[in-house]
Amino acid sequence: MSKSFNLIISGQPRCGKSTLVRLLKLNKNYLSVGLDAKFSELISQNYEDSKISTRDKINKIINKKIYSESKKKNPSSLAKELNLSVTKCREIIQSNKKISYENLLINILNLAKQINNRYGWIISDLRVEENFRLLKKIDKSLKIIFLFRCPVESITASLFWRDMKKKKNSFLIQIILRWKLSFYFSKYLKNKFPNDIDILIYNNIKNSNTKSLDFSKNLNLTKYFRYDTKKSYFNYC
């Protein structure tokens, strides 16, 4: 299989998506982006911002402040992460008069990939199971890893993420249902796109390389991943 592909690592909150992307920065064949793509948010803005110029859309995408840590003290942006500016994206501006936000982001990531001379880009995101078919039409090389973690760990971590004191008891039910739905739809999509989607369990990545698809094996996950279930608080997973 070709080493040239783009990858989104998706799954439910607190399942290790961002951690895995950061670790894959050690793999110099691919450009790992340490921020969530937020495709769902971008897609929802298309109608609202239908009259905005491509240049303004690019500016909005790459300069939006994104917080990746729980205390929300140190915002970053795609411009900072990828060392890009609107001026560097001039080829995208010139070649596309009207283009959707999600298409623009994929173009921006492809540009950064070319500038850095990598086989592909890697980025994390939530809820990709909802938008995979649309994104696959834009980028035929797109692959997805749905990453799941022991539900006891991920759901408990979600309960104590950021503003736990403001959350009601019903939030626990919501995140359990979201976890189950995400797992169900990821398996459904894997049956539809068996060569483009891999499902990995965070707790077992160190032992999963032989069972993974070829594109996952190209990432050498077991080489860079250091998680040890025996040292986890929930070591029975």
Side-chain angles (χ1 to χ4, degrees):
M1 177 181 171
S2 172
K3 291 184 178 180
S4 298
F5 60 85
N6 298 321
L7 173 68
I8 301 175
I9 298 178
S10 187
Q12 284 301 290
R14 323 317 310 149
C15 278
K17 301 181 300 297
S18 300
T19 299
L20 191 56
V21 171
R22 285 196 295 270
L23 286 172
L24 287 172
K25 284 180 178 288
L26 297 171
N27 187 331
K28 301 305 180 183
N29 290 325
Y30 299 92
L31 178 66
S32 289
V33 184
L35 299 170
D36 279 6
K38 299 188 180 296
F39 277 112
S40 292
E41 289 184 21
L42 291 174
I43 291 168
S44 67
Q45 291 175 22
N46 281 321
Y47 179 77
E48 180 183 344
D49 293 348
S50 59
K51 296 183 180 180
I52 293 179
S53 69
T54 301
R55 183 183 182 86
D56 288 342
K57 283 184 177 180
I58 289 174
N59 182 60
K60 195 171 181 178
I61 291 171
I62 67 174
N63 288 310
K64 179 180 179 179
K65 291 182 179 180
I66 300 175
Y67 297 89
S68 57
E69 89 295 340
S70 60
K71 295 183 180 179
K72 301 180 74 172
K73 288 185 176 180
N74 301 304
S76 189
S77 66
L78 283 174
K80 186 185 296 184
E81 179 78 11
L82 301 174
N83 191 27
L84 282 179
S85 64
V86 175
T87 303
K88 285 185 179 180
C89 298
R90 59 184 177 274
E91 291 182 10
I92 301 173
I93 297 170
Q94 292 169 357
S95 61
N96 296 283
K97 293 182 179 180
K98 288 186 178 180
I99 185 169
S100 65
Y101 272 114
E102 64 274 14
N103 203 325
L104 273 176
L105 177 53
I106 288 173
N107 273 272
I108 291 167
L109 292 171
N110 284 335
L111 175 63
K113 171 184 71 177
Q114 293 169 11
I115 291 172
N116 289 276
N117 194 27
R118 306 294 177 91
Y119 286 127
W121 46 260
I122 301 170
I123 197 167
S124 61
D125 203 11
L126 292 168
R127 297 166 53 191
V128 175
E129 61 270 21
E130 299 174 13
N131 305 308
F132 175 69
R133 292 175 188 271
L134 171 63
L135 300 176
K136 185 67 175 176
K137 287 180 180 178
I138 299 170
D139 185 351
K140 302 300 183 185
S141 76
L142 185 64
K143 310 292 183 184
I144 306 290
I145 287 178
F146 285 108
L147 184 64
F148 291 93
R149 184 178 171 193
C150 167
V152 176
E153 292 186 10
S154 63
I155 291 171
T156 302
S158 294
L159 287 173
F160 291 92
W161 176 249
R162 287 184 176 162
D163 55 353
M164 170 57 187
K165 293 181 180 179
K166 299 178 183 178
K167 293 172 182 173
K168 299 179 180 179
N169 293 335
S170 60
F171 182 69
L172 174 60
I173 298 173
Q174 291 177 31
I175 56 179
I176 291 173
L177 288 174
R178 287 206 306 257
W179 198 99
K180 293 187 72 173
L181 282 171
S182 179
F183 192 68
Y184 169 81
F185 281 117
S186 66
K187 291 201 296 182
Y188 171 80
L189 286 171
K190 183 172 174 60
N191 287 333
K192 295 290 185 180
F193 303 91
N195 298 318
D196 298 320
I197 292 176
D198 210 352
I199 298 175
L200 300 180
I201 306 300
Y202 185 88
N203 308 70
N204 298 326
I205 286 178
K206 289 181 73 172
N207 304 314
S208 64
N209 210 36
T210 56
K211 302 176 184 178
S212 299
L213 295 179
D214 287 342
F215 74 83
S216 292
K217 291 179 181 179
N218 281 335
L219 300 173
N220 288 324
L221 293 175
T222 54
K223 177 180 178 180
Y224 303 112
F225 194 72
R226 296 290 181 265
Y227 181 87
D228 188 347
T229 55
K230 294 181 181 179
K231 295 180 180 179
S232 168
Y233 181 78
F234 300 102
N235 57 23
Y236 52 79
C237 297

